[in-house]
Amino acid sequence: MKDIIIQNGRYRVDRKIGKGGFGEVWAGFDLQLNEEVAMKLTPIGKGPDTLRLEADTYKALAGGVGIPHVRWFGSECEYYVLIEELLGPSLEDLFNYCGRKFSLKTVLLIADQAICRIQYIHSKGVLHRDIKPDNFLMGLGKQGNILYTVDFGLAGEFSDAEHSNQHYHRVRALAGTTRYATLNNHNGRVVPRTILGDDLESLGYMLFYFARGSLPWQGMKAATERERDKLIKEKKMSLSGEDLCGDVLPAEFATYLNYTRALGFNDKPNYAYLRNLFRRRFKAEGFKYDNVFDWTVKRYNEIHGGPAVQDEPTSTSPPKKKSRKPTRKQKRKSAT
């Protein structure tokens, strides 16, 4: 696969950077624009045409803040190929980089942008259905502080007009990632309006994960995957927002989760209310909207050996290893 040229010689496939159920993710190079790109490849004969559906979703969302720009979609040899702008590390990568715990300020900064992304996605008639840390990436360069939402392989469409007068539910298997699955998802219920709340409820679990360092249902053991999913579901149902907060997290986190869980059929989420919950807490804590995240501080400290300040660069990429070779000045000094 490496060094293959695709799309009439414009894009070069370089190195693999990820893998999923749909196929593989590779870093590539746009030979025409002289810049790196990301490529998702999936075998044409492997199951449903997931990558084509994802490409259509990106097209519907095009132009929104935090939505990756798609360069090209098509088939090449035995693969479907989706080429999009190359982004930085995922929130899961950055969580690991920061010792698997984010400060309250960083969690609130993430919440503010993530709610905006979900609101925009919903405004275009799309449901993400797999909200989790791996599916949020930071940008690169001038976009280094912008949170991007990616991976719409499980996304679906909804229509207010179609469902406004239909009070029904149907049962389906649990979709997405179990750790962040909603109660509706665990129960196999698909209710048009409630699903809007489901994306937000999954985000709530993600925020608790970042603020606490882990979730109470992580690491649960069972003989089968179905039994494990049942244990996780029961554990989630037994814990309210207040239980998850304990004596550590602000009450706004409990309010957010309880609100999203309570959204019923035909209830449209009040995105502004949810955003303002966290914004008020942000101001009450005396934080500044300076785009200084935990990984910004850690990276600055590792490079400069001191605390980050507001006007310093805020690249989100983990630092490269420093060279251990002596400088010319050091060589001259040792020679004397």
Side-chain angles (χ1 to χ4, degrees):
M1 182 69 69
K2 186 177 180 182
D3 294 331
I4 290 178
I5 304 296
I6 63 175
Q7 215 266 309
N8 297 322
R10 176 170 179 175
Y11 300 103
R12 183 185 70 228
V13 183
D14 287 341
R15 66 189 188 280
K16 187 190 296 187
I17 56 177
K19 186 176 182 180
F22 60 88
E24 300 174 340
V25 182
W26 289 68
F29 200 78
D30 186 331
L31 298 171
Q32 181 175 314
L33 296 180
N34 196 37
E35 59 187 27
E36 284 192 294
V37 294
M39 302 177 173
K40 298 180 75 171
L41 298 93
T42 185
I44 290 177
K46 187 178 180 181
D49 193 356
T50 305
L51 200 57
R52 182 181 293 278
L53 293 175
E54 184 170 7
D56 290 341
T57 301
Y58 276 122
K59 184 177 180 180
L61 299 174
V65 175
I67 301 298
H69 172 63
V70 173
R71 305 287 185 85
W72 181 76
F73 172 77
S75 59
E76 192 79 20
C77 299
E78 70 271 27
Y79 291 94
Y80 281 123
V81 183
L82 178 66
I83 299 177
E84 56 191 5
E85 65 178 300
L86 185 68
L87 298 173
S90 72
L91 291 183
E92 183 68 24
D93 293 331
L94 293 167
F95 190 55
N96 289 325
Y97 176 61
C98 292
R100 299 193 60 76
K101 188 72 177 289
F102 283 154
S103 68
L104 178 60
K105 177 186 175 182
T106 289
V107 176
L108 294 175
L109 286 172
I110 290 170
D112 191 64
Q113 290 200 51
I115 293 171
C116 285
R117 300 297 171 270
I118 292 175
Q119 180 178 6
Y120 174 76
I121 291 166
H122 289 176
S123 75
K124 295 298 183 179
V126 176
L127 307 163
H128 190 284
R129 289 180 174 162
D130 195 17
I131 297 294
K132 60 181 179 180
D134 301 274
N135 289 340
F136 286 98
L137 277 61
M138 300 304 295
L140 291 173
K142 293 181 179 179
Q143 308 302 316
N145 296 311
I146 302 296
L147 185 67
Y148 286 76
T149 310
V150 301
D151 200 344
F152 290 86
L154 295 177
E157 297 179 351
F158 73 92
S159 168
D160 290 345
E162 286 180 16
H163 301 305
S164 59
N165 294 313
Q166 296 181 20
H167 297 259
Y168 71 91
H169 76 269
R170 58 187 173 85
V171 178
R172 58 162 168 74
L174 190 147
T177 305
T178 308
R179 183 183 298 177
Y180 308 102
T182 65
L183 298 183
N184 277 334
N185 198 347
H186 277 291
N187 289 323
R189 290 182 295 189
V190 179
V191 184
R193 272 294 195 187
T194 305
I195 297 179
L196 293 176
D198 281 1
D199 278 348
L200 292 165
E201 183 183 335
S202 290
L203 175 62
Y205 297 134
M206 189 180 92
L207 298 177
F208 274 109
Y209 170 71
F210 287 150
R212 290 169 48 105
S214 64
L215 291 168
W217 45 86
Q218 285 181 235
M220 301 188 82
K221 306 294 183 182
T224 65
E225 184 176 346
R226 184 174 181 179
E227 290 177 4
R228 183 179 64 87
D229 290 347
K230 182 180 179 182
L231 290 176
I232 291 175
K233 167 189 167 183
E234 292 172 350
K235 187 69 173 179
K236 281 182 188 175
M237 293 182 68
S238 71
L239 296 170
S240 65
E242 288 78 9
D243 294 328
L244 288 170
C245 281
D247 298 325
V248 180
L249 298 180
E252 286 81 1
F253 285 82
T255 302
Y256 175 95
L257 185 61
N258 293 339
Y259 174 89
T260 58
R261 280 180 168 182
L263 286 169
F265 182 76
N266 265 353
D267 290 339
K268 184 175 181 178
N270 188 334
Y271 305 96
Y273 165 73
L274 295 174
R275 239 183 124 193
N276 286 331
L277 271 178
F278 293 125
R279 286 199 156 196
R280 285 195 297 268
R281 172 50 59 182
F282 192 91
K283 292 179 180 178
E285 296 287 340
F287 299 141
K288 295 181 180 180
Y289 284 98
D290 51 12
N291 287 323
V292 177
F293 298 87
D294 289 345
W295 52 86
T296 312
V297 176
K298 181 177 174 64
R299 184 177 190 276
Y300 184 92
N301 287 342
E302 289 180 349
I303 293 176
H304 300 284
V309 293
Q310 181 175 341
D311 295 329
E312 291 296 331
T314 54
S315 171
T316 60
S317 300
K320 296 179 179 179
K321 293 183 179 179
K322 295 182 179 179
S323 174
R324 295 183 179 275
K325 295 180 179 180
T327 63
R328 292 181 179 179
K329 185 176 180 180
Q330 289 173 329
K331 287 180 178 179
R332 288 197 300 268
K333 186 176 181 180
S334 61
T336 60

